[in-house]
């Protein structure tokens, strides 16, 4: 018999997420979020650095759980010919993201802002070449469904890059 780890929950034991409360909490935090999201910023920057090793030149990139759009903006700069879709559950986070969008991106209409749920992506099948997700998957109640949705929207040969929390 193994030692019980109270901090480790199985999917069956995990409490269900109340998406409405989650959305409301992120909406309330939207304006000052970037000032306190130190860990998210550091990890996201490391993921962006890893993209230097990837040869993929995407035509469409999904920033899943885009929040305030910090990494949507960086992805649009990195892949200057790609359409970047910032998707988040919280409308006010997307409003902040829309506000930080550069005028060139607005003029080219290369960035889109979509309010939606990672477990039911409002995107067409095989419509993106890359899914980038930094510290958003822990807010999904059904990871199997979330990964199935990522697979559905990715084109063949597409790439999923993500970070999330875990015991190790």
């Amino acid at each position: 018999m193994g030692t019980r780890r109270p901090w480790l929950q199985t999917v069956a034991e995990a409490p269900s997420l109340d998406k409405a409360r989650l959305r409301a909490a992120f909406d309330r935090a939207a304006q000052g979020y970037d000032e306190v999201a130190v860990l998210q910023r550091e990890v996201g920057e490391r993921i962006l650095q890893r993209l230097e090793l990837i040869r993929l030149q995407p035509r469409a990139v999904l920033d899943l759980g885009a929040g305030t759009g910090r990494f949507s903006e960086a992805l649009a700069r990195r892949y200057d010919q790609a359409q970047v879709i910032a998707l988040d559950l919280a409308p006010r986070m997307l409003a902040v993201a829309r506000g930080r969008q550069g005028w060139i991106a607005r003029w080219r209409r290369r960035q889109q802002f979509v309010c939606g749920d990672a477990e039911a992506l409002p995107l067409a099948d095989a419509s993106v070449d890359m899914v980038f997700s930094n510290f958003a998957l822990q807010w999904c109640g059904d990871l199997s469904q979330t990964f199935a949705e990522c697979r559905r929207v990715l084109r063949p040969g597409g790439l999923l890059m993500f970070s999330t929390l875990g015991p190790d």
Side-chain angles (χ1 to χ4, degrees):
M1 184 182 281
T3 322
R4 176 89 171 126
R5 297 179 188 155
W7 49 266
L8 181 63
Q9 295 179 325
T10 66
V11 172
E13 295 172 327
S16 64
L17 293 171
D18 182 337
K19 296 282 177 100
R21 288 182 68 191
L22 186 63
R23 179 183 300 114
F26 276 107
D27 274 344
R28 282 190 305 275
Q31 285 303 325
Y33 189 80
D34 283 340
E35 288 81 36
V36 296
V38 177
L39 180 61
Q40 182 185 19
R41 183 172 46 253
E42 174 66 27
V43 172
E45 293 296 333
R46 290 181 186 192
I47 296 172
L48 287 175
Q49 289 173 356
R50 302 282 190 294
L51 290 175
E52 293 175 13
L53 304 173
I54 308 297
R55 293 188 185 265
L56 180 69
Q57 287 300 312
R59 292 175 285 156
V61 177
L62 171 61
D63 184 0
L64 183 60
T68 63
R70 172 184 284 282
F71 294 106
S72 301
E73 182 181 36
L75 290 163
R77 280 193 313 270
R78 177 170 187 78
Y79 301 111
D80 62 356
Q81 299 301 309
Q83 179 74 38
V84 176
I85 303 161
L87 185 138
D88 201 89
L89 186 64
R92 288 192 187 143
M93 285 287 200
L94 288 172
V96 173
R98 205 175 276 114
R100 75 183 314 142
Q101 179 188 30
W103 70 269
I104 292 175
R106 270 193 291 260
W107 177 70
R108 290 183 181 174
R109 297 177 197 220
R110 290 189 318 101
Q111 285 185 273
Q112 294 180 340
F113 303 89
V114 178
C115 191
D117 189 337
E119 295 175 55
L121 293 173
L123 302 175
D125 294 357
S127 58
V128 299
D129 302 294
M130 178 188 296
V131 176
F132 177 97
S133 184
N134 183 39
F135 278 132
L137 299 184
Q138 69 272 12
W139 302 114
C140 297
D142 185 345
L143 278 178
S144 296
Q145 178 63 29
T146 303
F147 284 125
E149 282 293 281
C150 289
R151 174 187 253 171
R152 180 184 66 77
V153 302
L154 276 169
R155 291 186 179 114
L159 175 68
L160 168 62
M161 301 247 340
F162 70 92
S163 65
T164 193
L165 300 171
D168 293 324

